[in-house]
């Protein structure tokens, strides 16, 4: 079956909208649970606010194309959903697994925005391409923060766990 480039772009934007809507819930939940990791908590809270704006910008892109976001549970969400259920397991190293999952999610989002930018450019949709570049920059900054904090979070967790202070607070 053949699809127009425009239809493919619209589907990609709907998927990205569904992903960010879900990521907004996930980051809100994470931020609440990270009380023992204040630096990580602040950054996750900041990214939660960015994620809400990213979702709204995608909504604007869809309106710009005469479309509206789909509220359907999408296959894209299965990946995130699966990662999340993994971290609802009450492992006390939840903060580590949650950090790995968040890093994976940011890289998924980065790949998705790079693809959307290529689609938007192919369709000559400059507004959409610019919005996706803006979202991409925020995802790259968050991925960079997580990547450069894995060792630090690990050392903090080790210190807390070995002194018996690690609780069930985790990222996801
Ligand atoms: Fe993100």
């Amino acid at each position: 079956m053949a699809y127009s480039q425009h239809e493919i772009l619209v589907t990609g934007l709907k998927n990205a909208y569904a992903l960010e809507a879900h990521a907004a819930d996930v980051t809100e939940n994470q931020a609440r649970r990270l009380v023992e990791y204040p630096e990580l908590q602040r950054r996750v809270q900041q990214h939660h606010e960015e994620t809400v704006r990213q979702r709204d910008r995608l909504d604007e892109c869809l309106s710009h194309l005469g479309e509206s976001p789909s509220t359907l549970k999408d296959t894209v969400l299965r990946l995130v959903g699966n990662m999340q259920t993994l971290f609802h397991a009450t492992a006390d190293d939840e903060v580590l697994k949650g950090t790995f999952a968040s890093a994976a999610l940011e890289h998924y989002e980065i790949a998705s925005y790079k693809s959307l930018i290529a689609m938007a450019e192919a369709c000559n949709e400059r507004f959409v391409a610019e919005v996706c570049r803006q979202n991409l920059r925020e995802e790259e900054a968050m991925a960079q923060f997580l990547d450069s904090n894995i060792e630090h979070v690990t050392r903090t967790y080790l210190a807390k766990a070995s002194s018996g202070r690690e609780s069930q607070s985790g990222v996801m």
Side-chain angles (χ1 to χ4, degrees):
M1 194 193 287
Y3 296 97
S4 72
Q5 293 190 350
H6 177 90
E7 286 170 323
I8 294 167
L9 173 62
V10 167
T11 300
L13 287 169
K14 286 182 177 177
N15 286 341
Y17 179 94
L19 183 63
E20 296 297 4
H22 185 74
D25 293 342
V26 170
T27 48
E28 186 175 30
N29 184 34
Q30 287 175 343
R32 258 204 307 273
R33 298 173 72 181
L34 281 168
V35 282
E36 293 192 42
Y37 298 83
E39 193 190 344
L40 185 57
Q41 183 180 43
R42 269 194 302 278
R43 189 62 181 90
V44 170
Q45 178 59 35
Q46 183 196 333
H47 195 57
H48 165 69
E49 288 155 23
E50 286 170 347
T51 302
V52 169
R53 287 194 292 271
Q54 291 170 354
R55 181 202 62 197
D56 293 347
R57 282 181 209 132
L58 291 166
D59 194 1
E60 278 178 54
C61 287
L62 286 162
S63 307
H64 179 77
L65 299 175
E67 300 277 343
S68 56
S70 147
T71 52
L72 297 174
K73 285 277 170 205
D74 194 271
T75 50
V76 174
L77 296 186
R78 282 189 212 147
L79 170 98
V80 187
N82 287 344
M83 289 195 303
Q84 257 194 302
T85 47
L86 193 61
F87 303 112
H88 283 308
T90 53
D92 54 2
D93 59 350
E94 195 183 1
V95 67
L96 300 184
K97 290 170 178 162
T99 300
F100 307 157
S102 296
L105 174 59
E106 295 310 323
H107 286 288
Y108 186 96
E109 290 172 334
I110 287 168
S112 140
Y113 283 119
K114 286 181 175 173
S115 173
L116 279 171
I117 292 163
M119 287 178 194
E121 285 173 349
C123 294
N124 227 352
E125 291 290 350
R126 284 188 203 168
F127 173 74
V128 175
E130 192 39 53
V131 165
C132 291
R133 272 189 213 100
Q134 199 177 353
N135 285 6
L136 173 63
R137 283 192 290 271
E138 291 171 352
E139 306 303 16
E140 285 174 336
M142 185 59 178
Q144 166 64 33
F145 172 86
L146 291 169
D147 288 347
S148 62
N149 271 273
I150 290 166
E151 291 93 340
H152 175 68
V153 170
T154 303
R155 283 190 287 269
T156 306
Y157 166 70
L158 284 173
K160 286 177 189 294
S162 60
S163 67
R165 288 189 294 127
E166 172 64 9
S167 72
Q168 299 293 326
S169 65
V171 170
M172 276 190 169

